[in-house]
Amino acid sequence: MPLSTRLFMPLLLTLLSACGGGGGGGADTTSGGGGSGGSTGAGGIGQTLTLTLPASGLSPADLAVVVAEGDALSEAVGAAYLAARGVPATNLIRVKVNTASETITSADFLLLKADIDAKLAAAAPAAQATLLTWGAPSRVVGACNMGITSAMALGFDTRYCNPNPSTGACPSTAASPLYDSESRRPQADLQLRPSMLLGARTLDAAKALINRGVAADATRPAGDGWLVRTTDTDRNVRWTDFATLPAAWAGVLALNYVDNSTGLPAANSLSAKSDVLFYLTGLVSVTNLSTIQFRPGALADTLTSTGGNLPGGGGQMPITAWLDAGATASYGTVEEPCNFQQKFSRASVLVDQYWRGATAIEAYWKAVQWPGQGLFVGEPLAQPFRDAPGFAIVAGEYQIKTRSLRPGSRYLLQYRLSGGSTWTTLADFTGVRGQALDGRAPLPPAAAVQIRWQGPCADNASNSCTLAQSP
């Protein structure tokens, strides 16, 4: 083969590699200060290099299940969860907590969290999230109130709630580092374990909820999402985010935006809908839930003040009403949050993170920017859009498959030559909303000794980090 032809072929393969799902432009020649592209050659280490792409979504081994020792319901729910999900027995943590009280004081909570943290460090140090299996307490009361799941993850800290409610002020609160992040290992990456309360009041209800979560896994539903703007002007403030989503997800998910802002109050709540995957709205109480058929894995919530005050909701609809109606997870606040959108789930983030393979606990936690006053309830490991990434050598080239690419973010496949410290780019992809990557890339030169997969960092998605690397 003439020299010009041999030099042209790797360039042609590189340009073709960005075709297919996931998008992307032509590949860079070099990255990180240079390097040599060279010919792919034949034989040698570079022709056999592979790596394992990171999978989205926590696994059963990543979850610690916390039970109230001596509480028959909590103990039974914990046992049922371990059996259904295959959570390791070492991840079951027993603690003393007063389940007869709706609240726990901040002083008692500090002792409880210290106990849990110590037992996790001894028995399950690799746990990345926690599930609380009691119905109460649901909130931590001190100078202000935090949802117990937020306090469990972030620690009780008045930066996350309102220490001066008597002033009538509506303060902003501290942000969660997990908000819309690319972290797959939150404890390892960000030093926090997102937490969720199962929320069921009977063992039968708990088992039904757990079964819905399990049934959701890897189903990849196209089911309907309903985003409703109501006549309640104080609570319908998320509508600007809602309105953009049907067009943004057209052809991928059937999302519906309903604008009832000038309609009759009686039409604020949906009725007789089936295959519902998302239902987000803004009302004190949502009616007609008995007529809604939720898909396994459904996420649903309403923007209102005290839905997280379990079990009663503080005079408003408790968030567990969504679970009772067949949803798999929900979220609400435990003290007056005012109608800051940041204190509730952001639909655009919730849908995107869930579709890209996050579990319910991750999708909800990543969708709430200021979660301190909030409570997360449901089955944490539900994962209807589970990712099964693939990276293999097929017909003399790399085949790369994953659904976890962040929309608009850049991903690079690079190689390094023996004795070199610079990395050369083989392929360059850009994440596209609702589009799984099925990309191709040329093999590196025979002299290559390592390859790596670069993408947005866990703690700052605007930066680039190594997500996977060959030995």
Side-chain angles (χ1 to χ4, degrees):
M1 182 183 293
L3 176 62
S4 61
T5 302
R6 286 189 285 115
L7 293 176
F8 174 73
M9 288 303 293
L11 175 62
L12 177 60
L13 287 170
T14 299
L15 292 172
L16 290 174
S17 70
C19 296
D28 292 344
T29 303
T30 61
S31 177
S36 173
S39 170
T40 58
I45 297 173
Q47 305 301 288
T48 60
L49 290 172
T50 62
L51 51 75
T52 301
L53 293 179
S56 296
L58 298 176
S59 72
D62 296 322
L63 185 70
V65 178
V66 185
V67 304
E69 188 174 9
D71 182 292
L73 177 59
S74 180
E75 293 269 15
V77 170
Y81 197 86
L82 262 63
R85 279 295 187 186
V87 175
T90 53
N91 288 23
L92 183 68
I93 306 297
R94 287 186 170 85
V95 293
K96 294 289 187 181
V97 59
N98 182 11
T99 56
S101 175
E102 295 181 15
T103 64
I104 182 172
T105 67
S106 57
D108 287 344
F109 176 77
L110 291 177
L111 297 175
L112 174 65
K113 180 168 169 53
D115 188 22
I116 291 172
D117 289 345
K119 288 175 177 175
L120 285 173
Q128 301 296 307
T130 62
L131 171 64
L132 310 181
T133 60
W134 54 78
S138 63
R139 58 195 184 278
V140 183
V141 177
C144 52
N145 298 344
M146 289 184 69
I148 196 168
T149 53
S150 293
M152 194 65 66
L154 302 166
F156 184 83
D157 188 329
T158 56
R159 295 182 303 127
Y160 294 106
C161 50
N162 181 8
N164 297 300
S166 61
T167 66
C170 290
S172 59
T173 54
S176 164
L178 197 53
Y179 175 69
D180 200 20
S181 83
E182 289 303 292
S183 173
R184 294 177 173 86
R185 311 287 296 170
Q187 174 63 17
D189 298 334
L190 306 171
Q191 292 72 60
L192 71 83
R193 292 184 176 97
S195 185
M196 185 168 272
L197 184 74
L198 194 78
R201 304 293 292 183
T202 68
L203 182 57
D204 285 345
K207 288 181 176 179
L209 174 59
I210 295 166
N211 290 340
R212 290 199 296 274
V214 172
D217 291 350
T219 52
R220 298 188 182 180
D224 291 345
W226 293 89
L227 312 164
V228 184
R229 183 183 183 186
T230 69
T231 59
D232 189 331
T233 56
D234 289 335
R235 295 176 175 83
N236 72 15
V237 292
R238 293 187 291 178
W239 75 268
T240 53
D241 186 44
F242 291 175
T244 64
L245 297 187
W249 286 89
V252 182
L253 289 174
L255 300 182
N256 305 275
Y257 170 58
V258 177
D259 187 350
N260 191 54
S261 58
T262 59
L264 297 174
N268 279 331
S269 297
L270 299 177
S271 179
K273 303 297 183 185
S274 60
D275 296 329
V276 175
L277 184 61
F278 302 98
Y279 185 178
L280 305 181
T281 185
L283 289 170
V284 170
S285 183
V286 182
T287 60
N288 304 325
L289 286 182
S290 63
T291 72
I292 304 298
Q293 179 192 3
F294 288 99
R295 281 184 177 270
L299 309 182
D301 65 61
T302 181
L303 189 156
T304 192
S305 298
T306 59
N309 278 1
L310 301 182
Q316 301 181 350
M317 187 182 91
I319 53 178
T320 48
W322 292 107
L323 306 184
D324 294 340
T328 303
S330 188
Y331 169 85
T333 50
V334 301
E335 73 170 3
E336 179 55 61
C338 300
N339 60 353
F340 285 104
Q341 294 186 58
Q342 296 95 324
K343 295 182 180 182
F344 295 87
S345 67
R346 185 167 181 83
S348 53
V349 177
L350 185 70
V351 174
D352 174 66
Q353 291 282 353
Y354 212 33
W355 186 90
R356 290 196 288 127
T359 56
I361 189 172
E362 295 169 284
Y364 249 129
W365 263 92
K366 290 182 178 183
V368 184
Q369 189 172 5
W370 301 346
Q373 295 163 298
L375 182 73
F376 299 85
V377 297
E379 199 286 278
L381 295 182
Q383 194 180 18
F385 300 101
R386 177 178 292 162
D387 189 21
F391 188 96
I393 298 172
V394 178
E397 63 181 356
Y398 288 124
Q399 183 180 71
I400 307 166
K401 293 185 176 183
T402 179
R403 62 186 300 115
S404 68
L405 268 58
R406 184 183 181 90
S409 289
R410 189 183 185 197
Y411 295 77
L412 304 175
L413 180 64
Q414 301 178 321
Y415 71 87
R416 182 178 66 82
L417 296 176
S418 177
S421 60
T422 59
W423 293 84
T424 300
T425 298
L426 285 167
D428 181 339
F429 304 98
T430 298
V432 178
R433 180 190 288 111
Q435 187 173 333
L437 173 68
D438 187 353
R440 304 294 184 273
L443 300 180
V449 292
Q450 264 189 321
I451 57 173
R452 70 180 185 182
W453 179 246
Q454 295 282 108
C457 297
D459 61 347
N460 187 341
S462 63
N463 294 336
S464 182
C465 287
T466 299
L467 306 181
Q469 186 168 297
S470 65

